[in-house]
Amino acid sequence: MYRFTVFILLAIFVVVGCKEAKKYHDEKPNLVAKAPTDKIADILAHQQKLNEEFRDPEESPLPDRFRKDFNGLDFFAPDTNYVIEADFIRTPDAVPFMMPTTTDRQSEEVVYAKIRFELHGKTFELEVYQNADLIKEKGYEDYLFLPFTDLTNGEETYGGGRYMDLRIPNGNRITIDFNKAYNPYCVYNKKYSCPLVPAVNHLDTRILAGVKDFDKK
């Protein structure tokens, strides 16, 4: 929610980076990965936690003028069709590169893996990234960053795309829950420096899940 996304000790050098240092947007690490027995309950709990973070002046990316009247983020309704099992294809020979951001800062990333999955009757593939600095932080050794764009951008969702936080799985499969897609922090506050979504990570479909665009009115 990077988590809140999403990077950064990527963002650690920021012009306040996307809430520097952790996950492309700071968040306390979840060290135990677990599969929820009730997917809808898990999604609702995630939404509640995210709203609590946005209300907390110590964690919220919202400027005071927005936070004082904050009633909650605008989410798509929870949809378990967007909780997807994907192939996790590691790319050990990938070469690090500099990912541009919304400011002059660049973030050194490497394509850790590609994920391949089916959605809406089509097969899609996305790259997931690992940041060389962030993995040195305690609790983020297995952290991965998944930014993406889709056909809702500029309409229901932020035009620049959204982020997801992942953890390295033990095997060659991974669960992707698009209900947990979130906006870059620079959507809420221009002081943040947020990674731009690579063109290769565009989904030619509508992802009607996760956080919608932010209305600043």
Side-chain angles (χ1 to χ4, degrees), residues 76-215:
F76 287 101
D79 189 341
T80 58
N81 290 312
Y82 288 100
V83 182
I84 299 166
E85 292 297 317
D87 292 325
F88 189 78
I89 307 163
R90 289 169 171 77
T91 54
D93 298 325
V95 176
F97 70 99
M98 302 306 294
M99 182 179 286
T101 71
T102 52
T103 66
D104 292 336
R105 183 182 62 83
Q106 292 188 320
S107 173
E108 184 176 347
E109 305 289 328
V110 66
V111 180
Y112 185 90
K114 295 182 180 181
I115 58 172
R116 185 177 299 139
F117 57 93
E118 291 187 3
L119 179 65
H120 300 156
K122 299 180 181 178
T123 299
F124 296 98
E125 186 173 277
L126 295 172
E127 293 181 346
V128 292
Y129 306 100
Q130 187 177 61
N131 179 264
D133 292 316
L134 190 57
I135 60 175
K136 298 174 185 176
E137 296 290 302
K138 184 177 180 180
Y140 290 86
E141 299 87 349
D142 64 343
Y143 176 80
L144 297 175
F145 175 56
L146 172 56
F148 71 94
T149 56
D150 69 274
L151 297 182
T152 67
N153 299 154
E155 297 181 9
E156 298 97 326
T157 64
Y158 171 57
R162 291 177 289 171
Y163 296 168
M164 293 178 65
D165 302 325
L166 302 177
R167 297 286 177 170
I168 298 172
N170 292 326
N172 296 321
R173 297 282 288 174
I174 188 171
T175 300
I176 306 297
D177 187 352
F178 284 104
N179 292 279
K180 297 180 180 179
Y182 62 94
N183 290 325
Y185 270 12
C186 51
V187 172
Y188 309 101
N189 193 325
K190 295 303 181 184
K191 75 178 183 179
Y192 292 104
S193 173
C194 301
L196 301 178
V197 179
V200 68
N201 270 15
H202 176 69
L203 295 173
D204 189 25
T205 190
R206 291 165 60 79
I207 302 296
L208 302 173
V211 177
K212 296 183 180 181
D213 203 358
F214 180 61
D215 186 357

Side-chain angles (χ1 to χ4, degrees), residues 35-91:
T37 55
D38 186 332
K39 294 179 181 178
I40 294 294
D42 180 64
I43 295 167
L44 292 174
H46 170 80
Q47 292 179 354
Q48 180 179 358
K49 182 176 184 293
L50 198 51
N51 281 330
E52 290 172 353
E53 291 175 358
F54 269 63
R55 292 188 185 97
D56 185 346
E58 297 299 319
E59 296 189 61
S60 178
L62 292 171
D64 290 344
R65 67 182 185 279
F66 293 135
R67 196 183 68 256
K68 63 185 179 65
D69 296 322
F70 177 73
N71 293 316
L73 295 167
D74 190 9
F75 297 95
F76 287 101
D79 189 341
T80 58
N81 290 312
Y82 288 100
V83 182
I84 299 166
E85 292 297 317
D87 292 325
F88 189 78
I89 307 163
R90 289 169 171 77
T91 54

